[in-house]
Amino acid sequence: MHKRIRALVIMDIIESLFGTIWIGAITLSFVKEVLGKGEAWWGYINSAYYFGSIVGGIIVYRMSSMVKGRLLLFMFAGSIGYAVLTGFYGLVTNLYLALVLLIMMGPAYQLRDVAQETIYQNTCSNGMLPKVIAAKSTLVQAVFILSIAFVGTVADLFGVRFVYLFSSFILLMTALTGMTALMYNKHSIEIGKTPAERREGI
């Protein structure tokens, strides 16, 4: 019922729907069909993706005080950056540029995820937060299961490159519409919080 939480959950669900573009079967197909390489480069691609995650986590940790005061701004920047980089990755043919783009994705989606989780925490009381996170995780995991079949079908019908380009477009539209909804409901009442808790920012 909470408009701000609903907007966040819808964003998470759509992002999860297209998160399967990074599962092994899809990335291996991309490496073979688009980049023209074999399993060794599939390993490099996976390594670059997770290395980017580590780098992104370190960067966001160092920027935590800055992020805390501008959650919507940094969440928007991370979402847009991740969507745009995904699109460029779908267009790339140079192997080393592909690795660079994957590493650059790390800070973008870490920034997005940390900002999103912090908004959940700031919006919910301590008693309500576990219920909200559990409900969100259940929905996201259910969609993730379905998305494996969906993304695989799209790749078979239109090619693996199209999967990344289409995902980039949907993620970009999700970020823009989600941020519009969040800004519109920026001052909505926090779930389960007393007036005193809201004043104290608990």
Side-chain angles (χ1 to χ4, degrees):
M1 298 298 293
H2 192 279
K3 293 180 180 179
R4 204 174 192 202
I5 290 296
R6 185 164 62 239
L8 280 173
V9 170
I10 291 173
M11 289 180 69
D12 277 334
I13 287 173
I14 296 174
E15 289 161 2
S16 175
L17 179 62
F18 292 95
T20 47
I21 61 176
W22 303 111
I23 63 173
I26 300 298
T27 55
L28 180 58
S29 295
F30 186 84
V31 169
K32 287 186 173 181
E33 296 176 18
V34 177
L35 300 180
K37 293 293 181 180
E39 287 79 3
W41 268 92
W42 177 51
Y44 301 149
I45 291 291
N46 284 322
S47 297
Y49 184 83
Y50 287 107
F51 178 71
S53 299
I54 296 171
V55 172
I58 294 171
I59 291 174
V60 174
Y61 171 76
R62 301 290 294 181
M63 295 173 57
S64 58
S65 58
M66 187 185 303
V67 173
K68 183 179 179 181
R70 302 176 181 86
L71 289 174
L72 288 179
L73 174 63
F74 280 103
M75 180 177 148
F76 178 73
S79 298
I80 293 295
Y82 181 68
V84 171
L85 288 168
T86 300
F88 279 128
Y89 178 77
L91 293 171
V92 76
T93 55
N94 183 282
L95 295 165
Y96 298 100
L97 180 57
L99 295 179
V100 171
L101 289 171
L102 286 166
I103 293 172
M104 290 173 63
M105 285 181 198
Y109 66 72
Q110 288 282 19
L111 193 60
R112 179 198 68 190
D113 288 354
V114 168
Q116 281 181 341
E117 291 300 317
T118 305
I119 292 173
Y120 279 117
Q121 294 170 6
N122 289 349
T123 305
C124 303
S125 67
N126 289 338
M128 188 62 68
L129 182 61
K131 297 179 181 179
V132 171
I133 296 299
K136 186 260 294 186
S137 297
T138 301
L139 289 169
V140 167
Q141 291 301 320
V143 170
F144 186 82
I145 293 170
L146 296 175
S147 71
I148 295 174
F150 172 73
V151 171
T153 302
V154 172
D156 286 340
L157 293 175
F158 303 103
V160 70
R161 185 191 292 275
F162 178 82
V163 169
Y164 287 94
L165 297 177
F166 181 62
S167 297
S168 172
F169 173 76
I170 296 299
L171 290 171
L172 187 60
M173 292 300 101
T174 300
L176 293 174
T177 55
M179 289 304 300
T180 300
L182 288 170
M183 289 298 295
Y184 182 76
N185 297 295
K186 186 175 181 180
H187 302 293
S188 57
I189 300 300
E190 291 88 345
I191 297 177
K193 287 190 176 182
T194 65
E197 287 177 325
R198 291 197 291 271
R199 285 195 299 270
E200 295 173 9
I202 296 175

